[in-house]
Amino acid sequence: MVKPFDIIIISLLIVLSFSPVVVFAMKNTSSESSDLYAVISINGEVVDRFLLTGNKEHQLITYYPAPGRYNIIEIDGERIRNKEDNSMHQVAVRTDWIQSPGETSLNLPHRLLIEIVSDSPKPTEIDVLVQ
């Protein structure tokens, strides 16, 4: 037996289940106004930084992280990927294109990391304890 109050609770829960979608959509629209960069690091050291926002170029760049190892990085407009490398499992190549803040492509055997970062400063929260 369904009571009217049960219908209200179920409806409220359904509406609340979509709240994460709304929150993440609002977060993404606020970060779209900032510039996005692709940062390439080898052995933890930044070797290159490319502006992706508004980029129309197509580039292929080859990195040699160690003797006998190579990575071909492809930049196509506002996205980037590890197009080719000579690692055994090709995990970074199968990662495919990345283009949103926080996305990464990691080639662990070559210790090469591609990450997308935003130039917008993150708001810092200051906790103050008043006694």
Side-chain angles (χ1 to χ4, degrees), residues 18-109:
F18 289 101
S19 64
V21 174
V22 173
V23 169
F24 286 118
M26 289 175 32
K27 180 180 179 238
N28 286 340
T29 53
S30 66
S31 67
E32 288 177 3
S33 62
S34 61
D35 290 336
L36 296 180
Y37 293 90
V39 178
I40 300 176
S41 306
I42 298 175
N43 287 329
E45 295 181 26
V46 175
V47 292
D48 265 327
R49 182 178 174 103
F50 299 100
L51 177 65
L52 294 180
T53 305
N55 186 17
K56 304 287 184 207
E57 297 180 33
H58 183 269
Q59 298 177 333
L60 290 174
I61 303 132
T62 305
Y63 295 97
Y64 300 95
R69 296 180 175 181
Y70 72 90
N71 291 76
I72 299 175
I73 306 300
E74 181 178 15
I75 302 171
D76 183 29
E78 295 185 348
R79 59 189 190 159
I80 187 169
R81 72 175 175 162
N82 187 351
K83 180 179 181 179
E84 180 183 332
D85 61 38
N86 61 346
S87 64
M88 182 179 287
H89 298 292
Q90 301 287 302
V91 174
V93 174
R94 287 186 269 155
T95 301
D96 209 31
W97 296 102
I98 59 174
Q99 60 191 7
S100 300
E103 290 185 325
T104 61
S105 176
L106 175 64
N107 185 329
L108 200 53

